Each structure stands twice: as C-alpha cells, then as structure tokens.
Amino acid sequence: MHSYPFCWRSDTPLLYRAVPSWFVAVEKIKSQLLESNKQTYWVPEYVKEKRFHNWLENARDWAVSRSRFWGTPLPVWTSEDGREKRVIGSIDELEKLSGAKVTDLHRHNIDHITIPSEHGSEFGVLRRVDDVFDCWFESGSMPYAYIHYPFENVEVFEKNFPGHFVAEGLDQTRGWFYTLMVLSTALFEKPAFRNLICNGLVLAEDGKKMSKRLKNYPSPTEVIDDYGADALRLYLINSPVVRAEPLRFKKDGVYGVVKDVFLPWYNAYRFLVQNAKRLEVEGFAPFFPIDCETLQNSSNVLDQWINSATESLVHFVRQEMDSYRLYTVVPYLLKFIDNLTNIYVRFNRKRLKGRTGEEDCRTSLSTLYNVLLTTCKVMAPFTPFFTEVLYQNLRKVSVGSEESIHYCSFPSATGKREERIERSVIRMMTVIDLARNIRERHSKPLKTPLKEMIVVHPDSDFLEDITGKLREYVLEELNIKSVVPCNDPLRYASLRAEPDFSILGKRLGKAMGAVAKEVKSMSQADILLFEQTGEATFSGHCLKQNDIKVLQEFKRPADVTEKEIDAAGDGDVLVILDLRADESLFDAGVAREVVNRIQKLRKKAGLEPTDIVELYYESLEKDEKILEKIVNSQCEYIKDALGSPLLHKSWAPSEAVIFCQEEFQVQFSHEEIPNLSFIIIIAKPALVFNLEAIVALYSGNNKYAENLQTYLSSRDLFNLKSEFPAGNGKIKVDCIENQPSVDLELGKHLFLSVADFYLSRKTG
C-alpha cells in the first residue's frame, strides 16, 4: 500500500514517467560556484553559509528542457540520427546557416527552419529539437537578457554587473538564486549579484500555505481598505519574514501597527499643528520653524536629547541600510517614534502649549517640527503614503522645500550627538517605569502625591542628570516632591550574581553547572571587584561582564514595613519609594484630580485644544472653604495644566454662555478629607468692562458707553484678540454710527476674559 500522487492544484491523479532531457553540466563547475558564493553578502547570513552552500556542494546536473509548446525554444538543431548538433548563438547566425529570414523566435515561427548538414546534402538537414527552456533558465538569465546583452548595451552591462542587490523568498534558494549563480558563474566566472536579501514565507494564520482554492487568508484589498498599504507594509517589514523566517499572517497584526505606530505618530504631528495654530489664536505671529543650527544650541535638556536621538536615528538607519539589515532598522524606527510621542511630546506639553513663554514655545515647536520632518524623510521608503500626507502640510512653512517627500534627499547625520543625555533619558524612563510598578503594587495612583524617591546607581553622571537637568520631568511624571540620588549600591541593596545561561550554555557545555555554582556563590566584595575589572575566572573559564547578570536586592530598613517603603530594580538601577501618607500633599492630589476631571469634560464637550474657555467651580460640600483653600493653594499648578485659572462660580457674569457642566466627586481614604463633591462649569470667554473708565472716555455719556459694550460683545474674540497686540495694547473704535471715536486700552478699559480680569486683580 502506498499514497497515490495527486496534483495539488486540481486534485486529479498524477502519473510520473521518465522522459529524456537536456542538462547543464553543473557538477563540472561546482568548485567555481562555491568560490562565487564566497564573493556575495547575504542577509541573513546563515542562509548563504548553510542552506545555499550545502545546496551548491551537493549540486547535480540541471535539467533545463521542458516538453511544452509555449516557452523559449532550445536553440539546438540536430540531424535525424542525433550525431550532428548545432547550438545557435544569435538570430544572425540562424539566418546565415539556414538562409531563412527570422522575425519571431517563438517555436511556431522557427520550428520549420532547417539547417543543411555541414557534411553535405546527402546527410540531410538539421531540425530544431522539440523542447523549450525551463522558465528558471530564463529567470537566471535576467541580468543580461533584460538589456539584450551581448548584442546591445555592452558598456552598461559591464559597468553594472554583478548587480548591487537582489531580493526574494527563502524558497528561491534552490530556484532563482541558484539559477542566477549557475549561469553567471558558467558564463562570467563570477556571481550575478553582490548583495542579497532573503525573506521568509508569509503563511495563513493556521500555519498552512496561503491558497486561492482554500481561501485561508483575508483579501489583500480588504486589508488595505481597512488599514492602509503603509500599515500592511510595516507589519510585514517588522516581522520574522525579513529574517528569512515564516510569518503566520494575522489581520489583527496590521491593526496593531495602526494603533501602536501610526496613531501615536499622527497625534504628535496633530499636536504640533494645533499648537502652531494656537500662536495665531492667541494673537502672536504665525509659526515658522527656527533653523536647525540655532535649535542645536537650545538649553532645554529634552530638546538636546531629541535632537541627538534624531541624529542617532539617521546614523543608525544609514549604517544598517548600507548593510541591508532591514530587520534592525524598523524596530529602531518604531522605538524612536515611541520615544518622540511618549517622552518628548508628553513631557513638553507646557512648553509646546506656550505656558513657558512665546520664545520657549517657538523653540520647542520648531524642534518638534524638524524632528517630525526628519522622521518622515527617514520613514518615507517604508511608509510612502503616510509620510507624503504629513510632508505636504509640513512643507507649507518651509521655504524652498521639494514638491514631494520622495524628491527629498535621504537625511545625513551632520549635527552633534549627546550620548550621555541619550543614555540618561533612557535610564530616566526606566526609573519612571519602575516607580510606576511600585505604585501599582500598592494601589497608589499617579494622582496621589508621594513625598520622596531614592535612585540608586553607581554612575554619578546619570544621578547628576536625574537630580539636575531631568529633575522637573521625574517629579512631575511621578507626582513626587523630591528625588534623592545614591551612588552606593550596598547602602540600600545587596548584590547577587547570576550567570547568563543563554550566552554561556553553548559555550561552556558540560562545565556550565560548575561555573554556575561558583558564580552564584560570589560574595559582595567579589561582585564589586568583578564590576570594577570587567572579568573573573571560574573553574578555568574567564567570564566577561556580558556573561554575568548582577542583580540588586532591596534591603528594607528594620523599622519600616513594605507598605511604607518599597523598591523595584532591573539589575542596573534601583528605585525606592516612600509610600507613607503626608497630609501636606493632599492639596496637590486633589488639584490633579480636578484637572483630570476638567480635561475629560472638555473632551466630552467636543472642544478642541485651541478653544479658549472660562473655567468655574462650585463646591457641594457644607464647608465650601475646603475646596476653595485647595484651589487657591494650587492655583499655579492648575493654571499651568489648563492654561487658565479655575474660578469660583461667583466670578461668572450673569450673561455667561455655558458650554457644559458636570458634577464630580473625589474620594480619599484620609480621614481629614473623606470626599469632595463639586460642579465644574465650562463657559465661553466673556469680556469684562471697566464701566467707569469707558463712561469717562465719552465725557459721562452712559448711552455711548452702553453702545460700545454692545458692539465689542458682538465682535469675534479671535479677531479682537489679534488687534490689541497689533496696536501695542490699544485699538481705535470709530465705526459706531453717530458716536465719536475712542481709543481703548486693554487692561484699563476692558479685559478679554474673566480670567484676565481675575489675574490682574490678583497681581495688583
């Protein structure tokens, strides 16, 4: 009993039989093939060194003929007895030998052509054999056939052969890659290509081959319609496929790229556009990016960091693409975009929103603009459509820009790189993540302020950056009041050494057990000496720093519990958080909760970030002074976070236009503040008039003053706001019929919002 062969396409039985074939004598040139292979560079390298090398080493003669009608005819003419053979090298040669005119090389146009025997007419004529070429022979001839070499383009061919690179699937190791190598080696004694990218196979989600018959894959058109071609391309590029490994295609994976890459990237771009427009809304000059050379001198640490990280990105991508390592480039690009959105934009919101002054705002916006522009240029080969859309808007404020991003030169790494700052910021994010983990373990949300955090690390430069340049970002992101550095790892932790089995297992083999035992028994002094010297010997084996993991284990002081002080570490840095309640921090905690509720209410009301509003609150507690005290003590934080002070409802004018209002409750476990109930009101900005000063402008005429107020209240606030800066804080009103013109001064005769009036009273 045996399984019968069936056609995998039609499911019909197959009958195998031996047929005569024409062969290329590959075995004769085997040593030359192996030498040609050495002259090539493959990605990934193991396909060249193992799979392809082994195939060449065991190569057999290649059957190049097929018994079909369509195909390139074998140019072999033979006598009836097969003793005389002629292999024709060109149309000219065939015409010369046969005396026939040849205009078409398909077999039905040349099969009738005969060639007289060179031995004389009595030996008859030579006729073409029935076979055509295997199509892989034609594919292998591509480097010269496509330009009709050697009959044309000799100089072009010789300048560009071998080709710079080819790219195909792993299944072509025994297909196209092989035929290219055999034919070029046989003809030119060298490979057909210099560099080769080999990709794996894209399989159906169930691990089987994609099949039109089985329909076991989603329609490509459907995937592109739902998520876009760029998302599909990036999903494939950032998968095992580019390392010559198989990929089980999942439509959800393409959606993941949209969610994790394109949405954060687009949000960073949208944030730039919104805040560039905000400048004009607030009456400032339109946004135009500051030149890159000036931005390199920014004193802000995160500007320095993102500029340096952008330079590192360009340097890395150029280096890796030069080496055809596509699989290292995309993960780096994705990590960069993640850092841009979750570090630079997130930590710089105040600056980007203009809360730290116009000049600082323009510097941060220009930095974000240039980083986004460079990122688009770097990503253009990978996401051509998305980057083009962003570029077409970004180029509007750039003089002399190219029409399309695909006309732009690929960026060059020309600026300065700050490796220390890059390293410190990445470590800072590690510190923040570790501190968040501690908070989560103890159910301490970020809105709850904590008193102190200790950062333990032997690198003094890093600790100096954490408590200096990066301090404000750490404090704000983690909502803590102070950060304390410590460069003595033994003060708060004990050290423990673990061998890296993934590195040492293969290297040490049977000796691994004895070495592991010695490594684990290292004393504190041994570990410190190892970290200082960078190496140590165990059972005759010298181990380096990468071979051993040094872990820090927190030593909690004897007089405190885990709920009071806890720690987390990653083997490099140790973070210790003081979790004890501090009554002095509750005002700040309530303020963060209030700000959070207002931001959510703005979003619920459908307001854009550039929409200017007035914010009011009303306490629902018996003792209104509790909330009033908190709002007053945290007024600067609230104003910085929201761009406007939070005022008591009593400040709202009777004619205020309310967009929305909602009741909230903030609960705390602290017995002094069990809960706080209040109403938040979001209203349209209202003009505040100094009636006495306006009446004085009209020499006591109240009717004129009333008409002026009616006219100004009907004006568009955006236009009105832009007119005062243009007139150095003054405007002339001369358009009210039958009424004299007057010069109005901002801050003397009127205020453009209740918030402005409140702040002037407060500072006055």
Side-chain angles (χ1 to χ4, degrees):
M1 298 294 292
H2 62 89
S3 61
Y4 197 82
F6 280 77
C7 174
W8 58 94
R9 289 195 176 95
S10 63
D11 275 336
T12 54
L14 290 173
L15 182 65
Y16 288 118
R17 64 190 179 94
V19 294
S21 288
W22 289 82
F23 288 82
V24 171
V26 174
E27 292 179 38
K28 290 181 180 179
I29 59 169
K30 191 182 294 184
S31 59
Q32 291 169 272
L33 287 172
L34 293 169
E35 188 57 39
S36 291
N37 190 37
K38 288 178 184 176
Q39 298 169 34
T40 60
Y41 172 76
W42 289 49
V43 175
E45 195 176 20
Y46 76 85
V47 182
K48 168 193 169 181
E49 299 294 344
K50 294 183 178 177
R51 189 183 178 101
F52 194 63
H53 176 85
N54 294 342
W55 181 247
L56 293 180
E57 240 182 0
N58 297 291
R60 297 288 179 266
D61 290 344
W62 172 21
V64 293
S65 61
R66 296 291 182 270
S67 300
R68 294 174 186 152
F69 182 81
W70 293 112
T72 301
L74 249 65
V76 180
W77 269 254
T78 69
S79 59
E80 196 171 332
D81 60 9
R83 290 182 179 179
E84 187 179 348
K85 297 183 181 71
R86 293 294 295 267
V87 179
I88 307 303
S90 67
I91 291 174
D92 288 345
E93 185 182 353
L94 180 57
E95 288 180 340
K96 187 176 178 182
L97 292 172
S98 67
K101 184 67 180 171
V102 179
T103 57
D104 189 328
L105 289 177
H106 286 96
R107 63 176 296 178
H108 57 283
N109 287 313
I110 64 170
D111 278 2
H112 65 281
I113 295 174
T114 59
I115 297 173
S117 172
E118 60 181 11
H119 300 300
S121 57
E122 67 272 20
F123 288 91
V125 293
L126 310 184
R127 299 182 184 280
R128 199 191 72 80
V129 298
D130 287 337
D131 299 288
V132 297
F133 271 116
D134 170 14
C135 63
W136 287 110
F137 191 97
E138 297 171 293
S139 300
S141 305
M142 178 277 298
Y144 21 92
Y146 87 103
I147 55 170
H148 204 212
Y149 175 86
F151 308 104
E152 296 178 71
N153 304 307
V154 174
E155 190 179 343
V156 173
F157 172 76
E158 289 175 354
K159 268 188 181 177
N160 295 284
F161 187 80
H164 286 92
F165 92 99
V166 294
E168 252 293 358
L170 186 64
D171 53 328
Q172 298 306 321
T173 309
R174 299 174 182 183
W176 188 46
F177 301 153
Y178 176 68
T179 59
L180 280 172
M181 186 68 78
V182 167
L183 293 177
S184 64
T185 301
L187 291 168
F188 306 103
E189 297 184 349
K190 55 184 171 183
F193 50 84
R194 303 172 202 184
N195 303 284
L196 183 148
I197 297 176
C198 185
N199 60 267
L201 300 179
V202 181
L203 305 174
E205 191 170 349
D206 59 7
K208 295 178 181 177
K209 277 190 173 182
M210 289 187 175
S211 165
K212 282 183 265 188
R213 181 173 60 85
L214 297 175
K215 294 181 181 176
N216 59 348
Y217 60 89
S219 163
T221 306
E222 177 191 312
V223 175
I224 291 171
D225 287 346
D226 287 351
Y227 304 125
D230 283 351
L232 175 58
R233 181 183 289 104
L234 212 57
Y235 169 68
L236 293 172
I237 292 173
N238 193 36
S239 75
V241 159
V242 292
R243 298 190 299 274
E245 297 169 15
L247 165 70
R248 292 190 177 196
F249 184 89
K250 296 179 181 177
K251 191 177 176 184
D252 287 348
V254 185
Y255 169 70
V257 171
V258 174
K259 180 170 65 72
D260 299 335
V261 180
F262 289 104
L263 285 179
W265 188 1
Y266 182 77
N267 285 337
Y269 157 80
R270 187 178 64 172
F271 196 73
L272 166 71
V273 173
Q274 286 173 341
N275 287 288
K277 286 182 178 178
R278 184 196 295 276
L279 286 170
E280 292 185 64
V281 171
E282 294 181 353
F284 298 106
F287 169 75
F288 285 95
I290 300 166
D291 65 277
C292 294
E293 200 171 316
T294 304
L295 291 176
Q296 290 290 335
N297 299 318
S298 171
S299 59
N300 180 275
V301 64
L302 286 189
D303 287 351
Q304 295 167 12
W305 166 72
I306 199 64
N307 286 332
S308 178
T310 306
E311 287 297 313
S312 295
L313 169 74
V314 173
H315 174 80
F316 179 83
V317 172
R318 277 188 164 275
Q319 172 185 288
E320 295 301 291
M321 291 296 278
D322 283 346
S323 298
Y324 297 90
R325 286 190 289 266
L326 199 64
Y327 54 87
T328 63
V329 170
V330 176
Y332 193 101
L333 285 166
L334 302 187
K335 185 62 182 174
F336 177 83
I337 290 170
D338 181 60
N339 286 341
L340 174 64
T341 55
N342 288 324
I343 301 179
Y344 187 78
V345 173
R346 180 185 174 91
F347 289 9
N348 267 317
R349 284 182 178 274
K350 282 185 190 175
R351 297 177 66 222
L352 292 163
K353 287 181 176 181
R355 309 273 164 78
T356 55
E358 183 191 354
E359 186 180 344
D360 197 33
C361 174
R362 289 185 184 275
T363 299
S364 57
L365 285 174
S366 297
T367 300
L368 180 56
Y369 173 91
N370 282 296
V371 170
L372 282 170
L373 185 62
T374 303
T375 306
C376 284
K377 289 177 181 178
V378 170
M379 286 290 282
F382 306 99
T383 55
F385 302 113
F386 183 79
T387 51
E388 178 71 357
V389 170
L390 266 56
Y391 177 78
Q392 287 304 326
N393 199 26
L394 292 173
R395 68 185 284 260
K396 291 176 183 176
V397 291
S398 180
V399 180
S401 58
E402 297 283 0
E403 273 185 59
S404 165
I405 195 164
H406 304 297
Y407 296 167
C408 299
S409 298
F410 197 85
S412 297
T414 53
K416 59 182 180 180
R417 291 162 66 190
E418 300 279 358
E419 291 185 9
R420 170 177 165 178
I421 289 175
E422 286 191 53
R423 192 165 53 248
S424 288
V425 169
I426 298 305
R427 280 178 177 163
M428 175 188 75
M429 292 309 297
T430 302
V431 167
I432 288 170
D433 288 340
L434 290 171
R436 283 175 180 160
N437 291 340
I438 299 171
R439 276 181 171 275
E440 286 173 14
R441 279 206 305 270
H442 295 274
S443 301
K444 296 280 186 182
L446 280 170
K447 296 180 188 72
T448 304
L450 295 178
K451 187 176 180 182
E452 184 179 85
M453 176 178 71
I454 300 168
V455 179
V456 184
H457 197 278
D459 186 345
S460 298
D461 287 342
F462 164 60
L463 293 176
E464 186 182 321
D465 290 340
I466 281 286
T467 55
K469 296 176 180 178
L470 299 169
R471 180 175 176 273
E472 62 174 298
Y473 301 108
V474 176
L475 297 182
E476 185 174 346
E477 187 63 20
L478 291 175
N479 195 12
I480 53 175
K481 292 305 166 187
S482 69
V483 57
V484 178
C486 175
N487 63 359
D488 179 7
L490 297 182
R491 184 174 174 185
Y492 293 101
S494 59
L495 303 180
R496 181 169 58 84
E498 284 279 348
D500 192 327
F501 289 95
S502 62
I503 295 175
L504 295 174
K506 289 181 182 178
R507 198 167 93 205
L508 299 182
K510 292 180 180 179
M512 184 69 225
V515 171
K517 189 175 180 181
E518 286 189 44
V519 170
K520 289 179 179 180
S521 64
M522 289 174 74
S523 66
Q524 303 286 300
D526 292 338
I527 295 172
L528 290 172
L529 182 63
F530 169 73
E531 288 190 320
Q532 186 180 347
T533 59
E535 63 179 41
T537 302
F538 304 90
S539 297
H541 297 276
C542 182
L543 304 190
K544 305 289 185 181
Q545 279 189 327
N546 290 339
D547 300 328
I548 296 178
K549 297 175 183 176
V550 176
L551 307 175
Q552 295 178 337
E553 294 183 341
F554 176 50
K555 289 191 301 188
R556 187 173 288 103
D559 55 341
V560 294
T561 65
E562 185 180 343
K563 289 186 177 181
E564 294 175 314
I565 292 179
D566 202 3
D570 68 344
D572 178 48
V573 63
L574 182 69
V575 172
I576 304 164
L577 269 186
D578 188 336
L579 302 166
R580 289 171 289 195
D582 187 328
E583 191 177 327
S584 66
L585 302 178
F586 274 98
D587 286 3
V590 174
R592 280 180 80 106
E593 288 282 3
V594 170
V595 166
N596 180 260
R597 301 297 200 279
I598 292 172
Q599 298 286 34
K600 286 180 178 176
L601 187 57
R602 277 187 66 114
K603 193 172 182 180
K604 187 177 178 181
L607 293 168
E608 292 292 326
T610 49
D611 292 334
I612 301 170
V613 294
E614 307 271 26
L615 303 170
Y616 302 101
Y617 75 92
E618 180 183 8
S619 176
L620 298 177
E621 298 297 319
K622 289 181 181 179
D623 186 357
E624 289 191 8
K625 291 189 180 293
I626 296 175
L627 186 57
E628 185 180 346
K629 169 183 164 292
I630 293 170
V631 170
N632 288 336
S633 69
Q634 300 296 315
C635 61
E636 283 303 315
Y637 163 73
I638 294 171
K639 180 174 170 292
D640 283 346
L642 300 172
S644 175
L646 179 61
L647 308 177
H648 190 272
K649 189 184 176 184
S650 59
W651 280 87
S654 57
E655 70 277 9
V657 178
I658 295 174
F659 289 134
C660 58
Q661 66 180 52
E662 194 168 316
E663 183 178 324
F664 295 102
Q665 187 177 75
V666 178
Q667 291 184 325
F668 286 96
S669 57
H670 194 265
E671 58 183 14
E672 295 294 323
I673 313 177
N675 62 67
L676 281 174
S677 298
F678 54 89
I679 296 172
I680 294 294
I681 302 162
I682 299 180
K684 183 180 178 181
L687 299 179
V688 177
F689 299 99
N690 183 344
L691 191 57
E692 188 178 325
I694 291 175
V695 170
L697 282 174
Y698 292 110
S699 303
N701 190 319
N702 287 317
K703 183 64 177 173
Y704 285 172
E706 187 180 322
N707 290 342
L708 178 67
Q709 290 179 72
T710 303
Y711 163 71
L712 291 172
S713 297
S714 70
R715 289 285 311 276
D716 179 76
L717 184 64
F718 172 75
N719 293 332
L720 199 60
K721 200 166 186 178
S722 62
E723 287 176 18
F724 276 104
N728 292 320
K730 296 180 180 180
I731 62 168
K732 181 184 282 292
V733 179
D734 55 3
C735 57
I736 302 176
E737 193 175 354
N738 301 321
Q739 195 161 310
S741 65
V742 289
D743 291 322
L744 291 179
E745 186 177 336
L746 193 64
K748 179 179 178 182
H749 301 107
L750 81 161
F751 295 88
L752 297 179
S753 68
V754 178
D756 289 347
F757 177 57
Y758 168 81
L759 292 172
S760 72
R761 291 280 297 269
K762 190 177 177 185
T763 53

